[in-house]
Short mmCIF file of all heavy atoms in Angstrom, two decimals:
data_model
loop_
_atom_site.label_atom_id
_atom_site.label_comp_id
_atom_site.label_asym_id
_atom_site.label_seq_id
_atom_site.Cartn_x
_atom_site.Cartn_y
_atom_site.Cartn_z
N MET A 1 4.67 2.19 9.64
CA MET A 1 5.86 1.91 10.36
C MET A 1 6.05 0.34 10.42
O MET A 1 5.09 -0.36 10.76
CB MET A 1 5.79 2.48 11.74
CG MET A 1 6.93 2.10 12.71
SD MET A 1 8.60 2.67 12.30
CE MET A 1 8.48 4.42 12.51
N ALA A 2 7.21 -0.09 10.08
CA ALA A 2 7.52 -1.52 10.13
C ALA A 2 7.54 -1.97 11.57
O ALA A 2 7.95 -1.24 12.46
CB ALA A 2 8.84 -1.79 9.47
N ASP A 3 7.14 -3.18 11.77
CA ASP A 3 7.12 -3.76 13.16
C ASP A 3 8.48 -3.74 13.81
O ASP A 3 8.59 -3.50 15.02
CB ASP A 3 6.55 -5.15 13.15
CG ASP A 3 5.04 -5.18 12.87
OD1 ASP A 3 4.37 -4.12 12.96
OD2 ASP A 3 4.54 -6.26 12.55
N ASN A 4 9.52 -3.97 13.01
CA ASN A 4 10.86 -4.01 13.58
C ASN A 4 11.55 -2.62 13.56
O ASN A 4 12.69 -2.50 13.94
CB ASN A 4 11.74 -5.04 12.84
CG ASN A 4 12.04 -4.69 11.44
OD1 ASN A 4 11.78 -3.59 10.93
ND2 ASN A 4 12.61 -5.64 10.68
N GLY A 5 10.83 -1.60 13.05
CA GLY A 5 11.36 -0.24 13.03
C GLY A 5 12.34 0.04 11.94
O GLY A 5 12.88 1.13 11.82
N ASP A 6 12.64 -0.96 11.09
CA ASP A 6 13.67 -0.75 10.11
C ASP A 6 13.20 -1.08 8.66
O ASP A 6 13.44 -0.31 7.77
CB ASP A 6 14.89 -1.69 10.41
CG ASP A 6 16.09 -1.38 9.65
OD1 ASP A 6 16.27 -0.20 9.24
OD2 ASP A 6 16.93 -2.30 9.43
N PHE A 7 12.50 -2.24 8.46
CA PHE A 7 12.03 -2.59 7.11
C PHE A 7 10.82 -3.50 7.25
O PHE A 7 10.55 -4.09 8.28
CB PHE A 7 13.15 -3.32 6.36
CG PHE A 7 13.64 -4.60 7.03
CD1 PHE A 7 13.01 -5.78 6.79
CD2 PHE A 7 14.72 -4.54 7.89
CE1 PHE A 7 13.46 -6.94 7.45
CE2 PHE A 7 15.19 -5.66 8.54
CZ PHE A 7 14.55 -6.87 8.32
N PHE A 8 10.03 -3.54 6.15
CA PHE A 8 8.87 -4.43 6.06
C PHE A 8 9.28 -5.77 5.44
O PHE A 8 10.01 -5.80 4.49
CB PHE A 8 7.80 -3.83 5.16
CG PHE A 8 7.15 -2.62 5.71
CD1 PHE A 8 7.49 -1.36 5.25
CD2 PHE A 8 6.18 -2.71 6.70
CE1 PHE A 8 6.83 -0.22 5.74
CE2 PHE A 8 5.54 -1.57 7.21
CZ PHE A 8 5.89 -0.32 6.74
N THR A 9 8.69 -6.83 5.94
CA THR A 9 8.74 -8.07 5.20
C THR A 9 7.62 -8.04 4.16
O THR A 9 6.71 -7.19 4.29
CB THR A 9 8.53 -9.31 6.12
OG1 THR A 9 7.20 -9.24 6.69
CG2 THR A 9 9.56 -9.37 7.26
N GLN A 10 7.65 -8.92 3.20
CA GLN A 10 6.60 -8.93 2.15
C GLN A 10 5.23 -9.15 2.79
O GLN A 10 4.27 -8.45 2.47
CB GLN A 10 6.88 -9.96 1.09
CG GLN A 10 8.06 -9.63 0.23
CD GLN A 10 8.42 -10.77 -0.70
OE1 GLN A 10 7.86 -11.87 -0.62
NE2 GLN A 10 9.33 -10.51 -1.66
N GLY A 11 5.12 -10.13 3.62
CA GLY A 11 3.86 -10.45 4.25
C GLY A 11 3.36 -9.34 5.16
O GLY A 11 2.15 -9.00 5.13
N GLU A 12 4.23 -8.70 5.91
CA GLU A 12 3.82 -7.61 6.76
C GLU A 12 3.35 -6.41 5.95
O GLU A 12 2.30 -5.85 6.28
CB GLU A 12 5.04 -7.18 7.65
CG GLU A 12 4.72 -6.01 8.53
CD GLU A 12 5.98 -5.47 9.26
OE1 GLU A 12 7.07 -5.98 9.02
OE2 GLU A 12 5.77 -4.52 10.00
N LEU A 13 3.99 -6.12 4.86
CA LEU A 13 3.56 -5.02 4.00
C LEU A 13 2.18 -5.26 3.44
O LEU A 13 1.33 -4.39 3.46
CB LEU A 13 4.58 -4.77 2.88
CG LEU A 13 4.26 -3.64 1.93
CD1 LEU A 13 4.17 -2.32 2.67
CD2 LEU A 13 5.25 -3.54 0.81
N LEU A 14 1.95 -6.46 2.89
CA LEU A 14 0.64 -6.78 2.34
C LEU A 14 -0.45 -6.77 3.42
O LEU A 14 -1.53 -6.30 3.19
CB LEU A 14 0.67 -8.12 1.60
CG LEU A 14 1.46 -8.17 0.33
CD1 LEU A 14 1.51 -9.60 -0.22
CD2 LEU A 14 0.86 -7.27 -0.69
N PHE A 15 -0.14 -7.25 4.59
CA PHE A 15 -1.12 -7.25 5.70
C PHE A 15 -1.44 -5.81 6.11
O PHE A 15 -2.64 -5.48 6.32
CB PHE A 15 -0.52 -8.01 6.88
CG PHE A 15 -1.45 -8.15 8.04
CD1 PHE A 15 -2.56 -8.94 7.96
CD2 PHE A 15 -1.19 -7.47 9.22
CE1 PHE A 15 -3.47 -9.07 9.04
CE2 PHE A 15 -2.06 -7.54 10.30
CZ PHE A 15 -3.19 -8.38 10.21
N LYS A 16 -0.49 -4.94 6.21
CA LYS A 16 -0.71 -3.54 6.59
C LYS A 16 -1.48 -2.79 5.49
O LYS A 16 -2.38 -2.01 5.82
CB LYS A 16 0.58 -2.86 6.90
CG LYS A 16 1.15 -3.30 8.21
CD LYS A 16 2.48 -2.61 8.55
CE LYS A 16 3.07 -3.19 9.79
NZ LYS A 16 2.48 -2.64 11.02
N ILE A 17 -1.22 -3.06 4.21
CA ILE A 17 -1.99 -2.47 3.14
C ILE A 17 -3.43 -2.94 3.22
O ILE A 17 -4.37 -2.15 3.13
CB ILE A 17 -1.38 -2.82 1.76
CG1 ILE A 17 -0.04 -2.08 1.57
CG2 ILE A 17 -2.33 -2.45 0.65
CD1 ILE A 17 0.76 -2.53 0.37
N HIS A 18 -3.63 -4.25 3.39
CA HIS A 18 -4.97 -4.78 3.55
C HIS A 18 -5.72 -4.11 4.66
O HIS A 18 -6.92 -3.68 4.46
CB HIS A 18 -4.90 -6.30 3.84
CG HIS A 18 -6.20 -6.87 4.31
ND1 HIS A 18 -7.23 -7.17 3.48
CD2 HIS A 18 -6.60 -7.14 5.60
CE1 HIS A 18 -8.26 -7.64 4.24
NE2 HIS A 18 -7.89 -7.63 5.47
N ASN A 19 -5.15 -3.93 5.81
CA ASN A 19 -5.83 -3.29 6.95
C ASN A 19 -6.19 -1.85 6.67
O ASN A 19 -7.21 -1.39 7.17
CB ASN A 19 -4.93 -3.38 8.19
CG ASN A 19 -4.88 -4.78 8.78
OD1 ASN A 19 -5.75 -5.63 8.48
ND2 ASN A 19 -3.90 -5.05 9.57
N GLN A 20 -5.39 -1.16 5.86
CA GLN A 20 -5.69 0.24 5.55
C GLN A 20 -6.82 0.40 4.52
O GLN A 20 -7.53 1.41 4.57
CB GLN A 20 -4.41 0.94 5.02
CG GLN A 20 -3.37 1.13 6.09
CD GLN A 20 -3.83 2.09 7.19
OE1 GLN A 20 -4.38 3.14 6.94
NE2 GLN A 20 -3.64 1.67 8.45
N VAL A 21 -6.97 -0.53 3.60
CA VAL A 21 -7.98 -0.34 2.53
C VAL A 21 -9.19 -1.21 2.61
O VAL A 21 -10.18 -0.96 1.91
CB VAL A 21 -7.28 -0.61 1.13
CG1 VAL A 21 -6.11 0.32 0.91
CG2 VAL A 21 -6.89 -2.02 0.94
N GLN A 22 -9.22 -2.17 3.49
CA GLN A 22 -10.34 -3.14 3.51
C GLN A 22 -11.68 -2.46 3.79
O GLN A 22 -12.69 -2.84 3.16
CB GLN A 22 -10.05 -4.29 4.50
CG GLN A 22 -9.97 -3.87 5.94
CD GLN A 22 -11.28 -3.99 6.67
OE1 GLN A 22 -12.23 -4.60 6.21
NE2 GLN A 22 -11.36 -3.33 7.79
N GLU A 23 -11.78 -1.48 4.62
CA GLU A 23 -13.08 -0.84 4.85
C GLU A 23 -13.58 -0.08 3.64
O GLU A 23 -14.77 -0.07 3.33
CB GLU A 23 -12.96 0.11 6.07
CG GLU A 23 -12.99 -0.61 7.37
CD GLU A 23 -13.09 0.36 8.55
OE1 GLU A 23 -13.59 1.50 8.37
OE2 GLU A 23 -12.67 -0.03 9.65
N LYS A 24 -12.66 0.54 2.91
CA LYS A 24 -13.04 1.31 1.74
C LYS A 24 -13.45 0.39 0.60
O LYS A 24 -14.25 0.81 -0.28
CB LYS A 24 -11.87 2.19 1.30
CG LYS A 24 -11.55 3.29 2.31
CD LYS A 24 -10.34 4.12 1.86
CE LYS A 24 -10.05 5.20 2.84
NZ LYS A 24 -9.20 4.79 3.94
N LEU A 25 -12.94 -0.80 0.53
CA LEU A 25 -13.15 -1.73 -0.60
C LEU A 25 -14.21 -2.83 -0.30
O LEU A 25 -14.63 -3.54 -1.21
CB LEU A 25 -11.89 -2.40 -1.02
CG LEU A 25 -10.75 -1.43 -1.53
CD1 LEU A 25 -9.56 -2.25 -1.86
CD2 LEU A 25 -11.24 -0.62 -2.70
N GLN A 26 -14.66 -2.95 0.96
CA GLN A 26 -15.49 -4.07 1.28
C GLN A 26 -16.85 -4.14 0.60
O GLN A 26 -17.39 -5.22 0.37
CB GLN A 26 -15.70 -4.18 2.81
CG GLN A 26 -16.57 -3.14 3.41
CD GLN A 26 -16.64 -3.25 4.93
OE1 GLN A 26 -16.03 -4.17 5.53
NE2 GLN A 26 -17.35 -2.38 5.56
N ASP A 27 -17.39 -3.03 0.18
CA ASP A 27 -18.68 -3.00 -0.49
C ASP A 27 -18.57 -2.97 -2.03
O ASP A 27 -19.58 -2.88 -2.71
CB ASP A 27 -19.56 -1.84 0.00
CG ASP A 27 -19.94 -1.96 1.45
OD1 ASP A 27 -20.08 -3.14 1.92
OD2 ASP A 27 -20.04 -0.93 2.13
N GLN A 28 -17.36 -2.96 -2.55
CA GLN A 28 -17.16 -2.92 -3.97
C GLN A 28 -17.11 -4.38 -4.53
O GLN A 28 -16.51 -5.24 -3.94
CB GLN A 28 -15.88 -2.18 -4.34
CG GLN A 28 -15.92 -0.71 -3.99
CD GLN A 28 -14.69 0.01 -4.46
OE1 GLN A 28 -13.97 -0.49 -5.31
NE2 GLN A 28 -14.46 1.18 -3.92
N ASP A 29 -17.72 -4.55 -5.69
CA ASP A 29 -17.68 -5.85 -6.36
C ASP A 29 -16.42 -5.96 -7.17
O ASP A 29 -15.98 -5.01 -7.81
CB ASP A 29 -18.92 -6.05 -7.25
CG ASP A 29 -20.16 -6.18 -6.44
OD1 ASP A 29 -20.13 -6.60 -5.31
OD2 ASP A 29 -21.26 -5.85 -7.05
N ASN A 30 -15.87 -7.17 -7.21
CA ASN A 30 -14.77 -7.49 -8.12
C ASN A 30 -13.53 -6.58 -7.99
O ASN A 30 -12.99 -6.12 -8.97
CB ASN A 30 -15.28 -7.51 -9.56
CG ASN A 30 -16.36 -8.53 -9.77
OD1 ASN A 30 -16.30 -9.60 -9.21
ND2 ASN A 30 -17.36 -8.16 -10.54
N SER A 31 -13.16 -6.26 -6.79
CA SER A 31 -11.92 -5.51 -6.58
C SER A 31 -10.80 -6.41 -6.19
O SER A 31 -10.92 -7.15 -5.20
CB SER A 31 -12.11 -4.43 -5.50
OG SER A 31 -13.06 -3.44 -5.95
N PHE A 32 -9.74 -6.43 -6.98
CA PHE A 32 -8.64 -7.31 -6.73
C PHE A 32 -7.32 -6.52 -6.67
O PHE A 32 -7.14 -5.55 -7.41
CB PHE A 32 -8.51 -8.35 -7.84
CG PHE A 32 -9.74 -9.26 -7.91
CD1 PHE A 32 -10.72 -9.00 -8.80
CD2 PHE A 32 -9.87 -10.35 -7.03
CE1 PHE A 32 -11.81 -9.85 -8.92
CE2 PHE A 32 -10.96 -11.14 -7.13
CZ PHE A 32 -11.96 -10.90 -8.04
N PHE A 33 -6.45 -6.89 -5.76
CA PHE A 33 -5.11 -6.28 -5.63
C PHE A 33 -4.30 -6.74 -6.86
O PHE A 33 -4.15 -7.92 -7.07
CB PHE A 33 -4.50 -6.72 -4.35
CG PHE A 33 -3.12 -6.24 -4.14
CD1 PHE A 33 -2.84 -4.93 -3.83
CD2 PHE A 33 -2.03 -7.12 -4.29
CE1 PHE A 33 -1.57 -4.47 -3.64
CE2 PHE A 33 -0.76 -6.66 -4.11
CZ PHE A 33 -0.53 -5.33 -3.78
N GLU A 34 -3.77 -5.77 -7.64
CA GLU A 34 -3.01 -6.13 -8.79
C GLU A 34 -1.54 -5.70 -8.62
O GLU A 34 -0.74 -5.92 -9.54
CB GLU A 34 -3.58 -5.50 -10.05
CG GLU A 34 -4.93 -6.09 -10.41
CD GLU A 34 -5.45 -5.61 -11.76
OE1 GLU A 34 -4.96 -4.62 -12.29
OE2 GLU A 34 -6.35 -6.28 -12.30
N GLY A 35 -1.19 -5.11 -7.53
CA GLY A 35 0.19 -4.78 -7.30
C GLY A 35 0.38 -3.36 -6.81
O GLY A 35 -0.59 -2.64 -6.55
N LEU A 36 1.61 -3.01 -6.69
CA LEU A 36 1.99 -1.65 -6.26
C LEU A 36 2.72 -0.96 -7.38
O LEU A 36 3.54 -1.56 -8.10
CB LEU A 36 2.91 -1.73 -5.00
CG LEU A 36 2.28 -2.36 -3.78
CD1 LEU A 36 3.33 -2.51 -2.71
CD2 LEU A 36 1.14 -1.54 -3.26
N LEU A 37 2.51 0.32 -7.53
CA LEU A 37 3.15 1.13 -8.56
C LEU A 37 3.97 2.20 -7.87
O LEU A 37 3.42 2.99 -7.12
CB LEU A 37 2.13 1.73 -9.50
CG LEU A 37 2.64 2.65 -10.60
CD1 LEU A 37 3.49 1.89 -11.60
CD2 LEU A 37 1.47 3.33 -11.27
N LEU A 38 5.29 2.19 -8.14
CA LEU A 38 6.16 3.22 -7.57
C LEU A 38 5.98 4.52 -8.32
O LEU A 38 6.06 4.55 -9.57
CB LEU A 38 7.62 2.76 -7.66
CG LEU A 38 8.68 3.78 -7.24
CD1 LEU A 38 8.53 4.13 -5.75
CD2 LEU A 38 10.07 3.20 -7.50
N TRP A 39 5.69 5.59 -7.62
CA TRP A 39 5.57 6.90 -8.24
C TRP A 39 6.93 7.44 -8.41
O TRP A 39 7.76 7.47 -7.50
CB TRP A 39 4.71 7.80 -7.35
CG TRP A 39 4.39 9.11 -7.97
CD1 TRP A 39 3.87 9.30 -9.26
CD2 TRP A 39 4.53 10.40 -7.38
NE1 TRP A 39 3.74 10.62 -9.49
CE2 TRP A 39 4.09 11.33 -8.36
CE3 TRP A 39 4.94 10.86 -6.15
CZ2 TRP A 39 4.09 12.68 -8.10
CZ3 TRP A 39 4.88 12.22 -5.90
CH2 TRP A 39 4.47 13.15 -6.91
N GLU A 40 7.21 7.93 -9.66
CA GLU A 40 8.56 8.41 -9.99
C GLU A 40 8.82 9.81 -9.51
O GLU A 40 9.96 10.25 -9.46
CB GLU A 40 8.76 8.31 -11.51
CG GLU A 40 8.71 6.91 -12.05
CD GLU A 40 9.83 6.02 -11.54
OE1 GLU A 40 10.94 6.54 -11.23
OE2 GLU A 40 9.59 4.79 -11.49
N GLY A 41 7.78 10.56 -9.14
CA GLY A 41 7.95 11.89 -8.62
C GLY A 41 8.42 11.90 -7.20
O GLY A 41 8.64 10.83 -6.55
N GLU A 42 8.60 13.09 -6.66
CA GLU A 42 9.07 13.21 -5.26
C GLU A 42 7.85 13.15 -4.31
O GLU A 42 6.79 13.68 -4.57
CB GLU A 42 9.75 14.57 -5.08
CG GLU A 42 10.34 14.76 -3.69
CD GLU A 42 11.12 16.06 -3.62
OE1 GLU A 42 12.01 16.29 -4.45
OE2 GLU A 42 10.87 16.83 -2.67
N ASN A 43 8.05 12.45 -3.21
CA ASN A 43 7.01 12.34 -2.20
C ASN A 43 7.00 13.71 -1.45
O ASN A 43 7.95 14.05 -0.80
CB ASN A 43 7.36 11.21 -1.20
CG ASN A 43 6.33 11.03 -0.10
OD1 ASN A 43 5.52 11.94 0.14
ND2 ASN A 43 6.37 9.90 0.53
N PRO A 44 5.88 14.50 -1.60
CA PRO A 44 5.88 15.85 -1.00
C PRO A 44 5.92 15.86 0.52
O PRO A 44 6.43 16.79 1.11
CB PRO A 44 4.58 16.43 -1.53
CG PRO A 44 3.73 15.25 -1.90
CD PRO A 44 4.67 14.13 -2.32
N ASN A 45 5.45 14.76 1.14
CA ASN A 45 5.43 14.75 2.60
C ASN A 45 6.75 14.26 3.23
O ASN A 45 7.13 14.73 4.26
CB ASN A 45 4.30 13.84 3.10
CG ASN A 45 2.97 14.37 2.67
OD1 ASN A 45 2.70 15.54 2.68
ND2 ASN A 45 2.03 13.47 2.32
N ASN A 46 7.40 13.33 2.51
CA ASN A 46 8.68 12.78 2.99
C ASN A 46 9.56 12.54 1.80
O ASN A 46 9.52 11.47 1.24
CB ASN A 46 8.45 11.48 3.76
CG ASN A 46 7.69 11.68 5.05
OD1 ASN A 46 8.09 12.49 5.89
ND2 ASN A 46 6.65 10.95 5.21
N PRO A 47 10.37 13.49 1.39
CA PRO A 47 11.16 13.35 0.14
C PRO A 47 12.07 12.16 0.12
O PRO A 47 12.42 11.64 -0.96
CB PRO A 47 11.96 14.66 0.11
CG PRO A 47 11.21 15.58 0.92
CD PRO A 47 10.52 14.81 2.01
N ASP A 48 12.47 11.60 1.27
CA ASP A 48 13.39 10.46 1.27
C ASP A 48 12.65 9.11 1.33
O ASP A 48 13.32 8.05 1.39
CB ASP A 48 14.30 10.56 2.50
CG ASP A 48 15.22 11.77 2.41
OD1 ASP A 48 15.58 12.17 1.28
OD2 ASP A 48 15.55 12.35 3.44
N VAL A 49 11.29 9.12 1.31
CA VAL A 49 10.54 7.91 1.39
C VAL A 49 9.81 7.66 0.07
O VAL A 49 9.10 8.54 -0.43
CB VAL A 49 9.50 8.05 2.56
CG1 VAL A 49 8.63 6.78 2.59
CG2 VAL A 49 10.20 8.21 3.86
N PRO A 50 9.96 6.49 -0.52
CA PRO A 50 9.29 6.21 -1.81
C PRO A 50 7.74 6.17 -1.59
O PRO A 50 7.27 5.82 -0.55
CB PRO A 50 9.80 4.85 -2.26
CG PRO A 50 10.40 4.24 -1.05
CD PRO A 50 10.77 5.36 -0.11
N LEU A 51 7.05 6.59 -2.66
CA LEU A 51 5.56 6.64 -2.60
C LEU A 51 5.03 5.64 -3.60
O LEU A 51 5.42 5.65 -4.76
CB LEU A 51 5.10 8.07 -2.95
CG LEU A 51 3.61 8.36 -2.91
CD1 LEU A 51 3.06 8.17 -1.53
CD2 LEU A 51 3.33 9.74 -3.40
N TYR A 52 4.12 4.79 -3.14
CA TYR A 52 3.56 3.71 -3.97
C TYR A 52 2.04 3.90 -4.06
O TYR A 52 1.43 4.35 -3.08
CB TYR A 52 3.82 2.30 -3.40
CG TYR A 52 5.27 1.89 -3.54
CD1 TYR A 52 6.21 2.23 -2.59
CD2 TYR A 52 5.69 1.11 -4.60
CE1 TYR A 52 7.54 1.84 -2.69
CE2 TYR A 52 7.00 0.70 -4.76
CZ TYR A 52 7.91 1.08 -3.76
OH TYR A 52 9.22 0.68 -3.91
N PHE A 53 1.48 3.53 -5.19
CA PHE A 53 0.02 3.49 -5.36
C PHE A 53 -0.44 2.06 -5.37
O PHE A 53 0.27 1.18 -5.98
CB PHE A 53 -0.37 4.17 -6.67
CG PHE A 53 -0.16 5.67 -6.64
CD1 PHE A 53 1.03 6.20 -7.18
CD2 PHE A 53 -1.05 6.52 -6.06
CE1 PHE A 53 1.24 7.56 -7.18
CE2 PHE A 53 -0.83 7.87 -6.05
CZ PHE A 53 0.32 8.39 -6.60
N VAL A 54 -1.58 1.75 -4.80
CA VAL A 54 -2.16 0.37 -4.86
C VAL A 54 -2.92 0.30 -6.15
O VAL A 54 -3.82 1.10 -6.45
CB VAL A 54 -3.12 0.17 -3.67
CG1 VAL A 54 -3.85 -1.16 -3.83
CG2 VAL A 54 -2.34 0.22 -2.39
N MET A 55 -2.58 -0.70 -6.98
CA MET A 55 -3.30 -0.96 -8.26
C MET A 55 -4.35 -2.02 -7.96
O MET A 55 -4.02 -3.03 -7.36
CB MET A 55 -2.32 -1.42 -9.32
CG MET A 55 -1.28 -0.35 -9.66
SD MET A 55 0.00 -1.00 -10.78
CE MET A 55 -0.90 -1.67 -12.08
N GLN A 56 -5.56 -1.74 -8.39
CA GLN A 56 -6.62 -2.70 -8.18
C GLN A 56 -7.41 -2.86 -9.50
O GLN A 56 -7.43 -1.94 -10.32
CB GLN A 56 -7.55 -2.30 -7.07
CG GLN A 56 -8.28 -0.99 -7.28
CD GLN A 56 -9.07 -0.58 -6.09
OE1 GLN A 56 -8.50 -0.22 -5.09
NE2 GLN A 56 -10.37 -0.62 -6.20
N GLY A 57 -8.02 -4.00 -9.67
CA GLY A 57 -8.74 -4.24 -10.90
C GLY A 57 -10.01 -5.08 -10.61
O GLY A 57 -10.36 -5.32 -9.48
N SER A 58 -10.63 -5.52 -11.69
CA SER A 58 -11.85 -6.28 -11.53
C SER A 58 -11.77 -7.56 -12.35
O SER A 58 -10.93 -7.72 -13.18
CB SER A 58 -13.09 -5.48 -11.90
OG SER A 58 -12.98 -5.02 -13.19
#
């Protein structure tokens, strides 16, 4: 959920993604954020909300 209830700023979105994945990635070597990938299929949980995947590399 965006802090303003309407939309995310770029910084806010990256900060929220970081907070969600940091525990899962903290023990991995050479994991870098490489961007977001928009899934072209339908989001099964919320059809009106776009679904993105976090791309990471080493």
Side-chain angles (χ1 to χ4, degrees):
M1 173 66 67
D3 290 343
N4 67 11
D6 193 27
F7 59 88
F8 291 104
T9 64
Q10 292 174 349
E12 177 187 2
L13 180 60
L14 290 175
F15 183 70
K16 288 180 184 280
I17 290 170
H18 165 80
N19 286 342
Q20 291 295 313
V21 301
Q22 64 91 17
E23 283 188 24
K24 295 177 179 87
L25 299 178
Q26 70 183 0
D27 294 327
Q28 294 185 18
D29 292 334
N30 300 321
S31 293
F32 298 98
F33 176 76
E34 292 188 344
L36 299 172
L37 177 65
L38 176 62
W39 187 48
E40 297 295 332
E42 184 175 308
N43 181 343
N45 298 322
N46 294 307
D48 296 328
V49 177
L51 183 62
Y52 288 87
F53 292 96
V54 174
M55 296 172 52
Q56 63 185 69
S58 57

